[in-house]
Amino acid sequence: MGQTTNPDIMVRVKNVSKKFGRLEVLKNVSIDVPRSQVFGFIGPSGAGKSTIVRTVNALEGIDGGEVWVDGVSVHSRSTNLNKLRANIGFVSQSFNLYPHLKVLENVALAPIKVKRQSRSEAEDRAASILKSLGLGDKMDVFPTRLSGGQQQRVAIARALSMEPKLMMFDEPTSALDPELIKEVLDAIRGLLKTGITILLVTHEMNFARDICDSVVFMADGEILETGDPKQFFSQPKTKRAQDFLSAVLNR
Amino acid sequence: MNWFVVYQNLPLFLNGIRMTLTISFLALLVSIPVGVLAGLFRVSRWRALRFVSALYVEFFRGVPLLVLLIWIFFVLGRFLKLSPYASAVAGLGIFSGAFVAEIVRAGIQAVPRGQMEAARASGMTYIQAMRHVILPQALRKVLPPMASQFIILVKDSSLVSVISVVDLSMVAKNLVATTFRSIEIWTFVAVLYFVITYSLSRLIALCERKFQMDH
């Protein structure tokens, strides 16, 4: 447990394994994500990229190993998961906005219920976040009226409203029409200057190369490569990564 | 045909209607919380709650209402000193609650999984997520089957006459016994039931439209 005290590490994944039935989706995975880094997860579908990210806020359980977020052991019984999750923003590919609430209410709900902010305070803050993401004129509409790109930006605003110290994006643009991807990527790019730690699962290779401080390449539940994105994208070491990159970059 | 008998006894019919409406309404007030709670238990993580709820639903769905009413009044009522009126409300409410529970369960399960996940990921407890995210969506989805259930409840209330509650059906039965005008009286009673249930149906349709305007 002594290894959890390193204050420079935001997320530590150590020897994590997980099975879905007999299928091993994570095989002894270890990752260290330093504070304020942008950490990219790349690899083919079914590699375990989403699963590893989802173990970090315990949306998925683990069968072996341990995960720490800012020194807190995520999967230990004594951990208050709700408190932990309040500090971790999570944006998935399917937006999952609350359809019965207006955009502003979507963003303000968790601060009101989880952080016990007053409604007016939460809504003021929600409004300013929405404005900063270019959604100032959409606050009073229901999410179903929005385009996919707008919905995903609302989902990002909803996650930011909790002032998380860690943001996790699980294929944030995979469900979007091509012309809507840029606005979402720009919203993510806008977070970089805040110094927040980011985990990003993505199939947008150019974007990953551009904004990530480190990338891991996963396949079949294992980490095959890890390191500097420029290096990885120009000279992947493993055959698996070479094949993957040539397949996705030469579309 | 002699419709004068209906006109002559209007005050009696009105009393019957009042009793039918009161009993149905009170049974509704019992069946909604009982049904919502049982529906929530049915999707709970705790096996014991799921088991209790399944037992409740299966049992009360499986026993005929007529038998249940008689049993509550003559068996349970003997120990608990229940009036016919209280027995009727309890029997109808608990019986209808079992169906409401199934409707609520289906409604909760019809809300996409990602909704619970998004709410929990933001730090909400299970109960907060249920209350603020899942249930508001689920209850909107179940309004139409819920409407049918409430209409069935009003019609089923006609069975309470077997435990000597003087509802609309009991009034009709008594009047037929004294006037022998069964055609007029039962026709009129059928129309009255229809007017009640149709009004209820329109009322719920109004609620549905109001909720849909939000989207």
Side-chain angles (χ1 to χ4, degrees):
Chain A
M1 296 288 274
Q3 58 210 330
T4 67
T5 53
N6 183 345
D8 298 332
I9 299 294
M10 176 60 84
V11 178
R12 166 159 289 180
V13 175
K14 194 148 167 67
N15 302 333
V16 164
S17 58
K18 179 174 179 62
K19 287 179 194 161
F20 285 136
R22 301 182 79 179
L23 181 71
E24 275 190 280
V25 286
L26 296 175
K27 300 170 188 162
N28 209 27
V29 173
S30 295
I31 303 164
D32 275 347
V33 182
R35 204 173 284 276
S36 293
Q37 272 218 350
V38 180
F39 210 86
F41 293 78
I42 289 163
S45 299
K49 313 178 297 288
S50 294
T51 308
I52 194 75
V53 164
R54 291 164 58 87
T55 65
V56 172
N57 64 353
L59 287 180
E60 297 284 355
I62 56 177
D63 295 322
E66 202 162 354
V67 180
W68 292 270
V69 173
D70 208 9
V72 175
S73 174
V74 174
H75 295 272
S76 102
R77 271 180 165 275
S78 57
T79 298
N80 180 340
L81 270 185
N82 300 318
K83 208 172 148 195
L84 179 90
R85 285 170 174 157
N87 289 314
I88 304 176
F90 180 70
V91 175
S92 74
Q93 65 172 301
S94 44
F95 328 137
N96 292 327
L97 297 180
Y98 310 134
H100 62 297
L101 298 177
K102 291 177 177 174
V103 164
L104 187 71
E105 296 166 326
N106 260 275
V107 178
L109 183 65
I112 293 170
K113 300 303 171 192
V114 178
K115 285 191 151 183
R116 305 267 165 217
Q117 288 177 7
S118 71
R119 175 168 292 274
S120 62
E121 182 192 359
E123 292 194 344
D124 283 352
R125 292 179 34 78
S128 82
I129 296 170
L130 285 166
K131 277 178 199 145
S132 73
L133 291 173
L135 294 160
D137 56 337
K138 302 294 182 195
M139 296 193 285
D140 277 329
V141 303
F142 286 94
T144 44
R145 294 268 168 84
L146 302 179
S147 73
Q150 289 166 335
Q151 288 192 42
Q152 191 59 303
R153 281 186 286 149
V154 173
I156 293 172
R158 183 173 65 176
L160 289 176
S161 70
M162 294 295 286
E163 300 181 296
K165 51 190 173 192
L166 170 66
M167 276 292 279
M168 309 202 298
F169 295 92
D170 185 8
E171 302 193 20
T173 58
S174 294
L176 295 176
D177 292 338
E179 78 269 22
L180 302 177
I181 290 175
K182 185 175 178 301
E183 62 188 81
V184 171
L185 296 185
D186 286 346
I188 298 171
R189 201 187 299 268
L191 300 178
L192 299 180
K193 60 181 181 295
T194 66
I196 193 171
T197 312
I198 296 178
L199 305 188
L200 170 69
V201 178
T202 187
H203 290 297
E204 295 293 323
M205 295 305 147
N206 292 325
F207 185 63
R209 174 165 46 198
D210 219 24
I211 75 158
C212 290
D213 299 303
S214 304
V215 292
V216 295
F217 175 76
M218 292 183 74
D220 305 323
E222 286 177 294
I223 293 181
L224 299 185
E225 291 194 38
T226 175
D228 176 65
K230 311 272 178 309
Q231 181 109 38
F232 170 75
F233 282 105
S234 54
Q235 294 163 316
K237 292 185 215 95
T238 58
K239 175 85 168 60
R240 194 83 170 79
Q242 288 160 11
D243 291 347
F244 175 76
L245 287 177
S246 76
V248 295
L249 294 177
N250 301 328
R251 273 184 299 193
Chain B
M1 295 258 241
N2 177 4
W3 292 96
F4 187 66
V5 66
V6 166
Y7 177 76
Q8 213 175 14
N9 292 294
L10 269 185
L12 282 180
F13 283 111
L14 276 180
N15 282 341
I17 289 177
R18 201 173 303 138
M19 180 58 91
T20 288
L21 286 178
T22 317
I23 283 191
S24 304
F25 181 70
L26 291 177
L28 186 72
L29 285 190
V30 172
S31 74
I32 289 178
V34 167
V36 169
L37 210 63
L40 282 169
F41 283 5
R42 206 78 202 270
V43 298
S44 162
R45 283 166 299 175
W46 287 306
R47 181 185 263 243
L49 291 184
R50 286 204 304 273
F51 178 75
V52 167
S53 167
L55 206 65
Y56 163 67
V57 169
E58 293 300 344
F59 182 77
F60 287 99
R61 209 168 48 167
V63 175
L65 179 59
L66 186 64
V67 176
L68 183 67
L69 285 171
I70 292 173
W71 187 84
I72 287 182
F73 179 57
F74 287 105
V75 182
L76 201 61
R78 178 160 300 183
F79 299 107
L80 300 179
K81 301 266 181 289
L82 292 177
S83 68
Y85 183 73
S87 306
V89 169
L92 266 178
I94 291 170
F95 180 78
S96 180
F99 292 89
V100 171
E102 282 299 272
I103 294 170
V104 169
R105 175 178 70 95
I108 290 171
Q109 288 173 340
V111 176
R113 279 177 58 97
Q115 292 288 309
M116 177 56 95
E117 190 172 289
R120 294 306 304 276
S122 74
M124 280 186 234
T125 63
Y126 178 83
I127 290 173
Q128 285 176 323
M130 262 298 166
R131 173 151 169 235
H132 302 294
V133 175
I134 307 299
L135 277 183
Q137 296 181 56
L139 293 182
R140 259 160 245 225
K141 283 179 201 288
V142 302
L143 268 176
M146 213 60 119
S148 301
Q149 181 54 37
F150 295 154
I151 286 168
I152 290 171
L153 175 61
V154 171
K155 297 193 296 176
D156 280 355
S157 75
S158 62
L159 285 173
V160 300
S161 54
V162 297
I163 53 173
S164 66
V165 175
V166 189
D167 74 324
L168 185 53
S169 300
M170 185 67 145
V171 167
K173 231 178 278 180
N174 291 344
L175 275 177
V176 170
T178 52
T179 65
F180 306 107
R181 288 280 165 198
S182 57
I183 295 176
E184 294 87 341
I185 288 168
W186 284 114
T187 306
F188 184 58
V189 164
V191 170
L192 286 179
Y193 271 111
F194 174 75
V195 169
I196 295 172
T197 55
Y198 187 72
S199 314
L200 190 60
S201 155
R202 296 317 305 162
L203 194 73
I204 295 169
L206 216 69
C207 295
E208 265 179 65
R209 209 166 318 137
K210 190 187 167 311
F211 279 130
Q212 263 154 19
M213 276 197 320
D214 295 353
H215 290 282

